Amino acid sequence: MSRQLIVDVHTHVYPPSYMALLRARKTVPYIHDPAEGADPRLIILSSDDDPATPPDERGRPVDASYSDINVKLDFMKKHDIDCSVISLANPWLDFVPKDEAQEWAERINNDLESTCADVNSEKDKSLFAFGALPLSAPSSIVVAEIKRLRTLPHIRGVIMGTSGLGKGLDDPDLDAIWGALEETQLLLFLHPHYGLPSEAFGGPEVIARYGHVLPLALGFPLETTIAVTRMLLSGVFDRFERLQVLLAHSGGTLPFLAGRIESCVLHERKFVANGGDTPGPKRGVWDVLKTNIFLDAVVYGSAGLQAAVAAGSHDRLMFGTDHPFFPPLHDEDEKWPSVTTNYKAIDSCFGEKDSESIGMVLGGNANRILKLGFD
Amino acid sequence: MSRQLIVDVHTHVYPPSYMALLRARKTVPYIHDPAEGADPRLIILSSDDDPATPPDERGRPVDASYSDINVKLDFMKKHDIDCSVISLANPWLDFVPKDEAQEWAERINNDLESTCADVNSEKDKSLFAFGALPLSAPSSIVVAEIKRLRTLPHIRGVIMGTSGLGKGLDDPDLDAIWGALEETQLLLFLHPHYGLPSEAFGGPEVIARYGHVLPLALGFPLETTIAVTRMLLSGVFDRFERLQVLLAHSGGTLPFLAGRIESCVLHERKFVANGGDTPGPKRGVWDVLKTNIFLDAVVYGSAGLQAAVAAGSHDRLMFGTDHPFFPPLHDEDEKWPSVTTNYKAIDSCFGEKDSESIGMVLGGNANRILKLGFD
């Protein structure tokens, strides 16, 4: 290629089939179509579903950027992105009734696969995808879907929330799924959705005072951090040493808190190493960060990015945008500040002299790690 | 001085008067004296107060390191610390009945002042202190105590939790207190205690599985981050531009999440700048981090420390130990791993060639910022 390859590993879609699923619902998550042809509203968080707000104004507008792949391709063009690894946005299939989950997962994953195939055969941009899992179905069905996903040419991993089978990611019942992911070496993209209880922020009134800032800026990253820490503490990475996990938003806060987690583990009297009755994790958090974990570079500042590089390494970090979330509010024709901020953070983190690391974070790492096949 | 000055700005005490206050209580926080002369037990968190655990085993042992200043001085000697800025450990006076708060604050702050004066006149180590505030009393009493603290020769600031007057730190009723702190230029040491609701971690059973790791490693830092973000979002730093705040544990997670906070603020439709009806903060988080906020270096790893330096700067970061918490579990004669980890992180963050920055973080910054008077 004549210029640096740029791959976006954090970019979401709501395929038409998923839109249909959400439109049929009346409880969170759901899509509400206002009268008068305004953009549909996506009510994705409980905090968005305020009965005091008219349904036509609840949640956020969900325009074509969510479901029309051509809008995604235009966004990629505007921001010089060559390849996007698309994934279903939260909350994926977490809420789907048990007996419908397999069918929806197959339908949506097939949609993703065919979207990628169509684009790659016709356009000058390319797409790959992370599949969605039917987690409300029995584990055997989830495992079968993972193995099926491995056979689809454009699927490079799976996206998962922090709920797992409903009891968090330290649930031993997830072992069959971790095993299948390890065996297939499909990357697990771990992404937040549920946030923190509103009491963490002082209650719903405090949250409402500042819109979405507290849950999105602080709740989301902590949710991810808690989920992966529970995996670590319960020994998931001891039992599945080759499990590969991509953490959203540069790990939530994991790179920053890794040292504190390690220190608290070393000082925990409950763990066997300190005379207690609980196994505790065998492998340390720094080891896991450099062996099992990959981070996206969606952290909006070089301060956070420096911690991400130091905790993981420059060859485990991958550019992302979080499209179609955080669109510009003022000038729709401009480049998205949410994207340019992340580009600038990467430049500033490594500096002009280290164009090799910049290139790796922008696309080289994703190409190698996800086997995208670019020269 | 013949060698580098080392100042510990994060080191706690329970003066005898405070021990007496806790011993008289039967609900969290309280001290329980087991039979047979074992060390008293400190039950400081609700999660420690499990009725299924016998009272003699509840909470943590609270030995002389909490209340005997000579133990602190021995700890300082062992770890080459020249000067400690001691502060009352959590939960300070948050729980004291309204009509007793003034008396307890004066008594405890006078204890702290006289402890510092006695040590400084007799020993080769020196002590300064952050005072405690009678926050359950009327604001006029709190303001009066701040002004009185300004006159005590060894008081260099105040320590405060995240509850404020009970409604968090974006409570407009705190303005009189912020004003008094700004006027006196006493540093506010903001420290966590309350953590996050147990549901954030999956409920009490999940927490119990891993001892104190989840609340201490993740809950504490997020509590601090939420508190200071609420201050920022509500305009505290717009109204009190000279307020000086020291954030515990390198800001909780603020250095890592600062970029995400800034991005969420810029994209929040509720704020006036984006056409909404809420003022929103005028000053940005990066500006506040470089103007109002100081960070301790209690983050147990160079990854976190790099973010702290990048978000703030090397001249706003100050060494700390969190003594007497996190003592060694295995060999009581060894240097504390919780302390040596932080020393190593500072060395590794700046590297051998930047001994000037290392010196500033170890003691030079504290000396200058807190006007400790070392040559």
Side-chain angles (χ1 to χ4, degrees), chain B residues 15 96 150 299:
Chain B
V96 176
R150 188 74 189 84
V299 70

Side-chain angles (χ1 to χ4, degrees), chain A residues 85-131:
Chain A
V85 187
I86 57 176
S87 53
L88 196 63
N90 49 312
W92 317 286
L93 302 173
D94 286 11
F95 57 88
V96 176
K98 181 178 176 170
D99 56 354
E100 299 175 22
Q102 179 179 13
E103 188 185 332
W104 279 111
E106 288 179 7
R107 187 170 156 192
I108 288 166
N109 289 331
N110 291 345
D111 269 8
L112 293 170
E113 171 59 29
S114 66
T115 298
C116 295
D118 291 350
V119 164
N120 293 12
S121 66
E122 288 180 15
K123 311 272 184 173
D124 58 349
K125 299 291 182 185
S126 76
L127 296 182
F128 292 87
F130 297 126

Side-chain angles (χ1 to χ4, degrees), chain B residues 13 52 58 66 86-87 99 124 164 189 205 286 289 295 297 319 338 361 365 373-374:
Chain B
V13 292
R58 258 178 238 175
Y66 286 75
I86 58 176
S87 53
D99 56 354
D124 59 348
F189 182 20
E205 279 178 42
W286 300 114
L289 267 160
L295 304 172
F319 175 75
S338 58
V361 174
N365 291 337
F374 294 98

Side-chain angles (χ1 to χ4, degrees), chain A residues 170 208 210 212 268 270 330, chain B residues 170 208 210 212 268 270 274:
Chain A
D170 52 2
Y210 311 117
H212 294 90
E268 178 50 55
K270 197 170 183 75
H330 297 289
Chain B
D170 52 2
Y210 311 117
H212 294 90
E268 178 50 56
K270 198 172 182 73
N274 299 320

Side-chain angles (χ1 to χ4, degrees), chain B residues 13 16 24 53 141 158 183 216 225 280-281 283 299 306 318 327 333 343:
Chain B
V13 292
T53 305
I141 289 179
V158 299
E183 185 190 325
L216 276 185
T225 314
R283 295 178 57 206
V299 70
Q306 284 183 42
M318 298 183 264
D333 291 331
Y343 273 132

Side-chain angles (χ1 to χ4, degrees), chain A residues 7-13 72 75-76 81 83-90 92 128 130 159 187 189-192 220 224 246-252 295-300 318-326 336 338-339 342 361-362 366 370, chain B residues 260:
Chain A
V7 179
D8 180 358
V9 302
H10 188 156
T11 178
H12 300 296
V13 291
K72 175 86 68 191
F75 166 84
M76 290 167 64
I81 295 163
C83 172
S84 289
V85 187
I86 57 176
S87 53
L88 196 63
N90 49 312
W92 317 286
F128 292 87
F130 297 126
I159 188 164
L187 187 71
F189 182 20
L190 179 58
H191 193 288
F220 257 36
T224 307
L246 168 62
L247 297 179
H249 313 119
S250 295
L295 304 172
D296 70 26
V298 184
V299 70
Y300 309 101
M318 298 183 265
F319 175 75
T321 63
D322 221 344
H323 181 263
F325 299 100
F326 303 107
W336 291 27
S338 58
V339 178
N342 280 321
V361 174
L362 288 178
L370 298 171
Chain B
R260 189 170 172 87

Side-chain angles (χ1 to χ4, degrees), chain B residues 308-327:
Chain B
V309 172
S313 71
H314 67 289
D315 63 356
R316 305 181 70 81
L317 194 63
M318 298 183 264
F319 175 75
T321 64
D322 221 345
H323 183 261
F325 299 100
F326 303 108

